[in-house]
Amino acid sequence: MKNILITIFFVYANILLSNTSQVYRRPMPQLPFLQDPSIVNEIFDYSVLVQIHATLFTLNELNEPIPLIIKEFEPLNNGYLFSLKETTFHNGTPLEAKYVKMSLENAIKNKAINYTAFSKIKGFNDFISGKTNNLEGIKIISKMKFIFELTKPDFNLLKKLTDVRYSIWDLKDPSNGLGAYKVFSRSLNEMILKLAIDQVKTIYHIENLIPTFIIKKENSGNAIKKFKTGFYDDIFFYKPPIQDFNTLKEHYHIEKIFFPKTYFIALNVSNLRSINTRQEVYSMLGVKQILNNCFPNEKIAQSIVPPGFYGHGINYKFIPKHRDIKNIHLKIDIIESIGQEKCIKRNIIKHKFQKNKNIKIRTLSESIHRWTNKDSDILVGYLEGESTAHFLGDFKSDATYPISIKKKTLDKFDKLLQDFEEESHMIKKTIISNQLVNIVGSSYSFIPIFHPSVFLLYSKKIKKIHFNFQSAALIPFYKFRINEYENK
């Protein structure tokens, strides 16, 4: 009887979907905040930025850079010459080369993640140090043409220009971009994006796109429940119970993907200043118990960097110190969108922190704010990125999770990360990445828990999507094509 009801339910849900193929609904744990792309550090914000903004290049299905707003380009003896496509921003302002220079200078000046990857652009050091207000190596030739002048060859430059942090915009309104979708409305609990017709015609040249995307703030329970009813079209930010998969796979696309993500426990070096103290705290957290009780289908990670990236092969062995710290009262924050938050809290309390009243489940933005203000000692969360440099970039001296209070250690790490970005030889990159992972591991400031196995669930109203090495949340909506066959 139960199976009959479930079948009737899904048939009814699919009838509803057939009438709503022009709208795609996605739930999120928190609504994205629109701001300068170069300073955003939350996956929810990035997931919308890739919809409303465009970069000079994008990645194809083979993870190779291809032109996006670039019409054509050619290599020079010491750089590249680029020509822009004729198009406009969402507000009708024509795209010109000056916006490219302004956007990239803004991102580099703000020290966006991996900004040192652009250190081969002529004048980079003087610009970063404040000696000049102009990045000399980005030169405007005409309204639609510009040059990148480099001090050394950079074979990875075009790929670096696919990062949404280096999107091209007019610096006045962070919602005014060149993306295939534009912001139509926004409230406290909902954001609506509409197809940007002019940009689709002049930049993307794609047909059969979904006209409207609706993003709604939703907790995990409601998101999964409404996904089952067909109200939502994906749950990329949530993980349904494994027992639901057999039922869901008949009505939705389900595919296991490589997902560049690390669940972690971070120890704030500004508050827990001694490595010995951090080792002792680590021994009290019960990392294996948290994994076994809350994520039983996952394997414990020794490496900070996920599989498939430089640095994953080096497994730092964390050695706990079993001397308990007496009368400890640590402030512990758990990011609410990590999944199994209540289970994590129960297991931390059960293990060694029975009397600790300072364990709280908080939003991602609140958790990061408290962390950077030194209001929390421990953070349980996750890290995402599209490359080794993205992951390790969060541990730099001026990033979210600095690994030490010692300037010498931070300077060494920053220098190695810059060397890693500039190196093109695979063996040398492997050696440098292993050194970086060892520095992070030996600091006991960032403890990996596991790299999640991820199954993506999304509506059959759209064709199957090829997911490369990007986070699923960062797949642009213009790759979501209406599946006419499924809607007949």
Side-chain angles (χ1 to χ4, degrees):
M1 180 65 180
K2 183 179 179 181
N3 289 335
I4 293 173
L5 288 175
I6 290 174
T7 302
I8 292 172
F9 174 74
F10 274 109
V11 169
Y12 176 69
N14 284 331
I15 290 172
L16 290 177
L17 285 178
S18 68
N19 295 322
T20 59
S21 63
Q22 303 299 299
V23 178
Y24 191 100
R25 292 181 176 88
R26 169 180 289 178
M28 285 191 190
Q30 67 185 57
L31 207 63
F33 182 68
L34 299 176
Q35 56 181 317
D36 181 341
S38 68
I39 62 174
V40 172
N41 62 6
E42 294 184 7
I43 189 67
F44 310 114
D45 299 343
Y46 278 131
S47 71
V48 167
L49 290 178
V50 298
Q51 319 307 338
I52 63 176
H53 287 295
T55 47
L56 295 173
F57 288 78
T58 189
L59 295 174
N60 64 12
E61 293 185 353
L62 298 176
N63 212 38
E64 300 168 335
I66 57 173
L68 185 56
I69 65 171
I70 293 295
K71 181 180 180 181
E72 54 188 14
F73 67 99
E74 60 179 286
L76 305 174
N77 289 335
N78 59 343
Y80 289 91
L81 170 64
F82 300 95
S83 298
L84 292 167
K85 292 179 180 177
E86 292 190 9
T87 188
T88 64
F89 291 95
H90 293 155
N91 67 355
T93 302
L95 172 64
E96 296 180 12
K98 67 178 181 180
Y99 293 111
V100 174
K101 183 174 176 66
M102 289 164 52
S103 298
L104 297 181
E105 286 182 344
N106 173 72
I108 292 170
K109 186 176 182 179
N110 286 339
K111 297 185 176 180
I113 291 178
N114 292 333
Y115 75 94
T116 55
F118 295 95
S119 61
K120 293 178 183 177
I121 297 178
K122 186 177 180 181
F124 176 87
N125 291 330
D126 286 344
F127 181 69
I128 284 295
S129 65
K131 290 182 180 179
T132 61
N133 294 320
N134 169 59
L135 187 50
E136 183 183 355
I138 301 179
K139 297 182 177 180
I140 298 173
I141 303 301
S142 66
K143 277 190 175 184
M144 305 303 288
K145 292 186 178 182
F146 61 96
I147 285 176
F148 272 25
E149 188 175 346
L150 307 176
T151 56
K152 298 178 182 178
D154 188 348
F155 303 106
N156 295 314
L157 177 65
L158 304 186
K159 193 166 187 177
K160 296 170 187 176
L161 294 172
T162 66
D163 190 331
V164 68
R165 300 170 184 89
Y166 300 90
S167 296
I168 308 306
W169 59 301
D170 66 2
L171 304 193
K172 296 176 183 177
D173 179 4
S175 68
N176 180 36
L178 294 162
Y181 289 84
K182 57 185 176 182
V183 179
F184 178 74
S185 67
R186 189 185 192 281
S187 64
L188 290 176
N189 296 307
E190 181 181 86
M191 179 182 292
I192 298 177
L193 305 181
K194 294 280 190 179
L195 197 63
I197 304 299
D198 291 342
Q199 286 69 38
V200 169
K201 287 181 178 178
T202 55
I203 298 175
Y204 300 91
H205 311 293
I206 300 174
E207 297 180 351
N208 208 27
L209 295 178
I210 295 174
T212 303
F213 277 80
I214 298 177
I215 299 166
K216 295 180 74 70
K217 181 181 178 182
E218 201 75 83
N219 64 44
S220 179
N222 284 340
I224 294 171
K225 182 179 179 180
K226 292 180 180 179
F227 176 72
K228 291 178 182 178
T229 69
F231 180 79
Y232 287 126
D233 294 299
D234 71 45
I235 42 174
F236 286 177
F237 292 99
Y238 309 86
K239 189 173 184 179
I242 195 71
Q243 60 267 25
D244 286 354
F245 276 48
N246 285 336
T247 303
L248 292 171
K249 70 181 181 182
E250 297 178 16
H251 308 279
Y252 296 95
H253 292 308
I254 298 182
E255 51 188 302
K256 186 176 181 178
I257 66 162
F258 170 79
F259 198 61
K261 191 172 187 176
T262 301
Y263 281 67
F264 66 80
I265 296 177
L267 308 182
N268 201 324
V269 295
S270 297
N271 299 342
L272 305 170
R273 300 170 74 87
S274 162
I275 288 181
N276 286 338
T277 299
R278 296 197 291 275
Q279 281 181 288
E280 291 160 356
V281 170
Y282 167 70
S283 70
M284 298 173 68
L285 286 169
V287 176
K288 287 186 179 179
Q289 289 87 340
I290 291 173
L291 182 68
N292 292 337
N293 294 333
C294 304
F295 304 95
N297 297 313
E298 303 291 354
K299 295 180 180 180
I300 195 161
Q302 299 295 333
S303 178
I304 296 161
V305 182
F309 290 158
Y310 285 106
H312 178 71
I314 183 74
N315 294 330
Y316 187 85
K317 187 175 181 180
F318 294 93
I319 304 173
K321 290 203 170 185
H322 294 291
R323 180 177 68 82
D324 288 350
I325 304 173
K326 303 298 181 183
N327 301 317
I328 191 166
H329 294 284
L330 297 174
K331 292 168 286 186
I332 304 174
D333 288 350
I334 303 170
I335 295 175
E336 69 173 2
S337 54
I338 193 175
Q340 302 296 326
E341 302 93 331
K342 292 181 181 179
C343 178
I344 294 171
K345 182 177 179 180
R346 283 196 305 271
N347 278 269
I348 290 177
I349 292 173
K350 185 186 300 183
H351 194 62
K352 285 287 177 71
F353 294 90
Q354 295 94 332
K355 297 180 180 180
N356 194 341
K357 305 297 183 182
N358 293 317
I359 304 177
K360 304 289 184 181
I361 298 172
R362 305 180 189 274
T363 65
L364 177 60
S365 56
E366 184 183 8
S367 298
I368 297 298
H369 179 75
R370 282 172 48 80
W371 177 267
T372 54
N373 285 339
K374 306 175 186 178
D375 293 329
S376 62
D377 303 301
I378 297 174
L379 178 63
V380 184
Y382 57 85
L383 197 65
E384 293 182 296
E386 291 82 58
S387 68
T388 297
H390 285 166
F391 273 92
L392 297 179
D394 276 320
F395 307 126
K396 292 178 58 182
S397 56
D398 55 358
T400 309
Y401 306 106
I403 55 173
S404 177
I405 55 173
K406 297 180 180 179
K407 187 176 185 300
K408 184 177 180 181
T409 302
L410 292 172
D411 287 347
K412 179 181 179 181
F413 185 87
D414 290 357
K415 177 62 170 60
L416 277 172
L417 188 59
Q418 184 170 345
D419 291 344
F420 174 82
E421 275 294 310
E422 293 178 355
E423 184 58 63
S424 57
H425 193 279
M426 289 180 64
I427 295 178
K428 291 181 179 178
K429 283 184 82 74
T430 300
I431 293 171
I432 297 172
S433 66
N434 291 348
Q435 290 177 312
L436 287 164
V437 170
N438 264 322
I439 292 174
V440 177
S442 61
S443 73
Y444 280 85
S445 60
F446 191 91
I447 316 296
I449 307 175
F450 67 95
H451 307 298
S453 302
V454 176
F455 289 87
L456 291 182
L457 292 89
Y458 57 99
S459 171
K460 286 188 176 180
K461 75 165 65 171
I462 61 173
K463 296 179 181 179
K464 289 200 78 172
I465 306 167
H466 178 84
F467 295 96
N468 50 23
F469 289 95
Q470 292 175 287
S471 164
L474 299 183
I475 298 294
F477 286 153
Y478 65 78
K479 294 188 178 181
F480 289 42
R481 310 288 294 280
I482 296 174
N483 192 339
E484 295 176 355
Y485 174 78
E486 293 292 345
N487 284 286
K488 286 182 179 179

